[in-house]
Amino acid sequence: MQKKIIFIILAVLFFTLNINVYAESVENQYKIVINVPSKKLTLFKNNIIIKEYPVAVGKSKTQTPIGEFKIINKVINPYYSKKNIPGGSPRNPLGSRWMGFKVHYGIHGNSAPNSIGTFASGGCVRMYERDIQEIFGVVPVGTPVQIKYDLIEVVNDIDGEEPILIIYPDYYNKVCNIKELIKQKLEELNLYNEISDKRLEQITKLDKNKKIVFSNNLTFFINKKYITDDMKIIDGVYYINLNKFAKWLNTNIPVIYNENYVYVMGNFIKAVYVDNKYYIALSDIQKLLGGQLDINKDSYLIELSTDAVFLNNKYLTNQVLNITANPKIGLSVISQYLDIGIQIEQNKIKYYLKNGKEIPYELYEGIPYVDANYLKENTKLILDISTFKKQLTITKSPMIICDGVIYESVLYDNELYIPLNILDDSNLNDLNNIFVNSERIPVICVENTKYIPFDKVKKLFNLIMNDYGTKITLNKRIFNISD
């Protein structure tokens, strides 16, 4: 009888432990999806897109296998047996990381970064070294890998509206009915009657080595992001919908001077007013952002490719170098927003961190640049680099100034928290249970300091925020707090 009871207890424990393990694995489930024609790898977690990466895939004679796979092994500094190249060698075509998904096939780094975004491999999937090291540290063995061959992609503009089709080249010659597939997709989107038959006929006559946008108008992309098809051509000049461009910048663009000019990034730009909307010249957008502009009228495609730095999700500058490997950021632009001090000593400009530590930098064309890794290691800044978007994003929790006192805020679970003692302590009896207008406010503790979510209490203040949300000045109102 005693043995039977012990067996039942062990069985219950085993069942419970397995449920917990399963729940944890489901909760943290990753998935890799690679679309060969678009040469893009997408990382999912719990069916939510975490990040997108550019990749190189197999050549037509050595195609990347299509199907459902799993990560079967992970290797640091893999050995390249074909040419007897040791792991860790800069000549190793497998790079510094290998994630096998099929015998002889894997996702790996490489020694030829210029091949990324092309059909170049012997069937494996190549990534930038930065990217493979990032994803290698995230996904475990057993992660599902789906490799598909979708020539047609449906994308919406920057406002999530006006869907269009992108048709990628059939590099592996796998699809023979592309025209019928396009018609089917258009009917699914209720767009078939809006697209001209002439445009549909043009598809089969275009260059099969280039992607094509299927729409009734020219479309504008910045760094592979579809911005809008709301464009005008006036006297041979291309104009872009101003509000759509402002959405990509994530900033408001005021109209001034009797509605003839707009103020963008410290510049006065002439605008045109057509059909109750403002438009800005494409040439002016390129001057503001820099980069390379490609206009393909046959493909209905205008693409601007430019490196970009965003601060707190708002465009800041194009002063960034080597974004696919070891990025460096222009110091003169970011210093005014990131608590970086400037001094001139012996006719040389020196930059200092908040703790007084001097920042090392290098000059490129007379502009001082700091290594992004240095900022990441020596400050509380959060840096994220997307080689797919050609974008470096800096996240900085704002400095809080209240009644002349400076406080530090924190980011917790993607939400801004401010110190609890900014509130009037005399009105608080229990610092673990705060109520504002009868709503309970959560309290967290970070490094022995208690914080509360800013969004829950910001109505208690008159506030002034700088352009990039790196400094917030609060003036107290009359609190309505009860415990």
Side-chain angles (χ1 to χ4, degrees):
M1 182 67 180
Q2 187 176 3
K3 290 183 178 179
K4 186 176 181 180
I5 293 173
I6 293 174
F7 176 81
I8 293 173
I9 293 172
L10 289 173
V12 171
L13 285 173
F14 177 81
F15 181 74
T16 303
L17 288 172
N18 273 278
I19 288 178
N20 291 336
V21 170
Y22 175 77
E24 183 178 354
S25 65
V26 170
E27 181 182 354
N28 298 307
Q29 187 172 11
Y30 289 95
K31 182 179 182 180
I32 292 172
V33 177
I34 300 165
N35 187 30
V36 170
S38 63
K39 300 176 287 293
K40 179 173 69 175
L41 183 153
T42 305
L43 177 64
F44 291 83
K45 182 178 181 181
N46 302 331
N47 295 318
I48 297 173
I49 294 177
I50 301 299
K51 203 165 185 178
E52 297 171 316
Y53 301 91
V55 296
V57 291
K59 294 176 284 190
S60 60
K61 293 182 179 180
T62 54
Q63 300 180 9
T64 297
I66 309 301
E68 303 286 339
F69 310 95
K70 287 185 178 182
I71 298 297
I72 55 178
N73 54 45
K74 294 171 63 178
V75 182
I76 297 176
N77 292 329
Y79 168 67
Y80 187 55
S81 59
K82 188 175 181 180
K83 293 189 177 181
N84 193 27
I85 301 176
S89 169
R91 298 183 297 109
N92 193 318
L94 302 182
S96 65
R97 302 290 188 276
W98 166 277
M99 299 193 300
F101 60 84
K102 184 182 179 182
V103 177
H104 304 308
Y105 292 92
I107 303 167
H108 60 81
N110 74 99
S111 57
N114 290 337
S115 69
I116 301 301
T118 69
F119 296 91
S121 78
C124 289
V125 178
R126 300 179 185 175
M127 301 183 74
Y128 286 119
E129 279 297 311
R130 162 178 292 282
D131 292 342
I132 187 62
Q133 291 177 19
E134 181 175 271
I135 198 171
F136 186 95
V138 172
V139 300
V141 171
T143 297
V145 177
Q146 179 188 16
I147 303 180
K148 56 185 183 177
Y149 195 83
D150 290 345
L151 295 183
I152 302 175
E153 182 180 3
V154 180
V155 295
N156 295 313
D157 72 4
I158 199 163
D159 283 320
E161 304 168 346
E162 306 298 332
I164 60 170
L165 303 185
I166 298 177
I167 297 93
Y168 294 100
D170 184 13
Y171 194 76
Y172 290 173
N173 292 316
K174 287 182 174 291
V175 180
C176 59
N177 59 338
I178 185 64
K179 190 173 179 179
E180 288 72 20
L181 292 175
I182 292 172
K183 283 184 177 180
Q184 179 182 344
K185 188 63 68 174
L186 290 172
E187 289 172 350
E188 290 175 6
L189 298 171
N190 296 319
L191 294 175
Y192 183 72
N193 294 329
E194 298 180 19
I195 303 294
S196 66
D197 290 335
K198 180 180 178 182
R199 180 61 184 152
L200 189 57
E201 289 298 325
Q202 288 175 334
I203 292 296
T204 58
K205 300 177 182 179
L206 292 177
D207 187 345
K208 292 184 179 181
N209 293 320
K210 294 182 179 179
K211 69 179 180 183
I212 301 163
V213 170
F214 199 82
S215 69
N216 262 338
N217 198 13
L218 285 166
T219 56
F220 179 52
F221 287 70
I222 301 178
N223 292 346
K224 301 180 183 178
K225 173 66 178 178
Y226 172 40
I227 307 301
T228 183
D229 66 349
D230 188 3
M231 302 177 57
K232 306 291 183 184
I233 303 178
I234 303 174
D235 296 330
V237 178
Y238 294 92
Y239 287 87
I240 310 296
N241 181 301
L242 179 67
N243 287 334
K244 302 288 187 177
F245 175 56
K247 188 72 175 285
W248 183 82
L249 296 173
N250 195 20
T251 188
N252 293 320
I253 299 179
V255 180
I256 53 178
Y257 290 165
N258 296 323
E259 302 181 349
N260 291 323
Y261 287 84
V262 293
Y263 188 69
V264 190
M265 297 162 51
N267 297 273
F268 296 102
I269 306 293
K270 190 172 179 60
V272 297
Y273 190 66
V274 182
D275 298 331
N276 298 318
K277 289 180 285 187
Y278 289 98
Y279 294 81
I280 183 174
L282 177 61
S283 57
D284 287 326
I285 291 177
Q286 185 183 18
K287 289 177 184 176
L288 291 169
L289 302 182
Q292 180 179 342
L293 186 65
D294 183 23
I295 301 176
N296 190 324
K297 290 188 287 186
D298 288 335
S299 294
Y300 281 36
L301 182 61
I302 297 178
E303 294 182 289
L304 179 62
S305 178
T306 179
D307 293 339
V309 177
F310 279 69
L311 174 58
N312 288 348
N313 292 319
K314 184 181 292 189
Y315 180 84
L316 178 61
T317 180
N318 62 358
Q319 287 188 5
V320 57
L321 304 172
N322 200 14
I323 201 165
T324 59
N326 297 304
K328 294 177 172 57
I329 314 169
L331 260 173
S332 55
V333 177
I334 66 173
S335 59
Q336 57 184 313
Y337 299 107
L338 301 182
D339 302 330
I340 294 175
I342 305 176
Q343 291 184 9
I344 299 178
E345 299 178 13
Q346 298 178 348
N347 296 324
K348 181 181 178 181
I349 298 177
K350 294 187 177 183
Y351 296 86
Y352 294 90
L353 295 176
K354 192 175 181 180
N355 60 10
K357 189 175 182 179
E358 184 177 353
I359 301 174
Y361 66 82
E362 299 177 46
L363 289 175
Y364 294 86
E365 298 182 354
I367 299 174
Y369 284 83
V370 60
D371 192 307
N373 287 328
Y374 178 87
L375 291 180
K376 187 174 183 178
E377 294 168 2
N378 291 275
T379 69
K380 294 183 179 180
L381 300 174
I382 300 172
L383 276 69
D384 180 71
I385 296 162
S386 171
T387 57
F388 184 80
K389 297 179 181 178
K390 299 188 69 175
Q391 179 174 311
L392 187 154
T393 301
I394 304 172
T395 302
K396 180 186 184 300
S397 55
M399 173 197 303
I400 308 294
I401 303 175
C402 185
D403 293 340
V405 180
I406 297 177
Y407 300 87
E408 286 193 7
S409 61
V410 296
L411 291 173
Y412 178 78
D413 200 18
N414 294 321
E415 187 174 1
L416 177 63
Y417 280 71
I418 63 173
L420 175 60
N421 58 8
I422 287 180
L423 299 182
D424 187 351
D425 290 352
S426 63
N427 290 326
L428 305 174
N429 295 327
D430 183 354
L431 297 184
N432 294 310
N433 293 282
I434 310 301
F435 289 83
V436 176
N437 295 330
S438 300
E439 180 184 4
R440 186 179 182 278
I441 307 301
V443 178
I444 65 170
C445 188
V446 179
E447 297 179 355
N448 299 319
T449 300
K450 292 186 176 180
Y451 293 85
I452 53 177
F454 179 60
D455 277 346
K456 299 289 187 180
V457 297
K458 66 182 181 181
K459 291 182 180 180
L460 303 175
F461 302 90
N462 296 309
L463 64 91
I464 301 173
M465 183 182 297
N466 70 349
D467 290 342
Y468 288 89
T470 58
K471 182 168 68 174
I472 301 175
T473 302
L474 302 176
N475 294 310
K476 293 180 182 177
R477 296 178 181 173
I478 298 175
F479 294 146
N480 180 16
I481 300 178
S482 58
D483 55 297

